[in-house]
Amino acid sequence: MAAQAFAHRIEGHRAEHAGRASGDVEIAPAAIFGYASGHLGWRTVDFAREVHEVADFQGAAVINYADAEVPLTRIHEFRHLHPERAHEGKRTTIYREYSRFAGRSDEPYYPINTTADRAMLASYHAMTAAHPNVIFGGRLGSYKYLDMHQAIGAALKTFEREVEPFFAGDMRTDGTAARGHALSALSA
C-alpha cells in the first residue's frame, strides 16, 4: 500500500512537472557506477523446501539457530502464521534458510559492513557529486539492513527530501541541498 502511494506520488509529480526537470531521477545502488570502487560485501540466503508427513514440525512460524555448529540460520513453517486457519491432514511444509557470502550473481540480503566496505560506500557517495540525479535508497543504496517498515519509511522520507524538491525545481544544481540528508546515514 505504501509502495503504491509512493509510486503514485512520483507519477503525479512527473505529470505535474513534465518538461520542468532536466532529466530523470534515479534511485539506485552503487552498481550504477559500474563497481568503480569495488564490490560491497554482502551475505545472501538459500532456501531448502521440505514436506513432512506430520501435522506440526516445530510448533512456531520461525525458529532461529544462532549456534556456529548449526549450518542453517532458521526454519520457517508458514502454517503457524495463521493460527486461526484450520489445517487438515498430517502434512506440513518447512523451509530451511542457509546464509552464505553472496557472489556477484546472487541477490544481496545482509551487508557485511567492514571498515573497507564503509570506505567503498563513502567513495560511491562522493561520486554522486557529479551526478545530482542519483539518489541511493533502500538496503542496497544505504548498505544497511532494514526491516520492511524501515525501508518504506526511508523511501517516503527520501521522496519528500530529495525527489519532490527535484520536481519542484528547489534542488540546487550541484545536488547538495537534498543529498546532505541521504549522506547523514553513513555515520551510523
Side-chain angles (χ1 to χ4, degrees):
M1 184 72 109
Q4 289 174 331
F6 180 69
H8 177 72
R9 287 179 73 182
I10 288 175
E11 290 306 316
H13 280 280
R14 280 191 179 147
E16 182 181 342
H17 300 290
R20 191 168 179 192
S22 61
D24 290 332
V25 173
E26 296 182 43
I27 301 175
I32 196 165
F33 294 112
Y35 303 100
S37 293
H39 289 265
L40 294 168
W42 290 91
R43 292 193 64 79
T44 191
V45 294
D46 296 314
F47 295 97
R49 181 179 182 266
E50 298 175 9
V51 177
H52 293 271
E53 299 297 327
V54 296
D56 185 346
F57 182 80
Q58 64 185 12
V62 179
I63 295 182
N64 296 315
Y65 295 87
D67 293 336
E69 299 80 32
V70 179
L72 55 98
T73 306
R74 60 187 58 93
I75 296 176
H76 304 267
E77 186 175 9
F78 301 105
R79 73 170 29 211
H80 296 290
L81 293 174
H82 296 282
E84 74 281 2
R85 294 181 184 170
H87 298 282
E88 296 182 17
K90 296 195 181 291
R91 189 177 211 194
T92 190
T93 301
I94 67 164
Y95 282 83
R96 295 179 190 267
E97 179 181 324
Y98 300 88
S99 179
R100 63 178 170 80
F101 287 102
R104 291 186 182 179
S105 63
D106 291 318
E107 183 173 350
Y109 275 78
Y110 307 107
I112 295 173
N113 205 14
T114 64
T115 302
D117 288 317
R118 287 189 295 279
M120 233 184 292
L121 181 64
S123 80
Y124 286 125
H125 278 279
M127 290 179 196
T128 64
H131 303 278
N133 294 0
V134 174
I135 299 168
F136 292 106
R139 281 186 181 184
L140 295 176
S142 65
Y143 196 62
K144 289 184 174 184
Y145 177 83
L146 300 172
D147 286 329
M148 189 53 66
H149 72 284
Q150 293 169 315
I152 291 168
L156 292 171
K157 284 180 186 173
T158 298
F159 181 83
E160 290 170 358
R161 291 178 178 165
E162 301 189 44
V163 179
E164 276 186 325
F166 178 86
F167 284 111
D170 296 338
M171 193 164 144
R172 295 194 306 220
T173 56
D174 67 358
T176 58
R179 187 153 289 113
H181 297 288
L183 292 179
S184 63
L186 283 176
S187 59

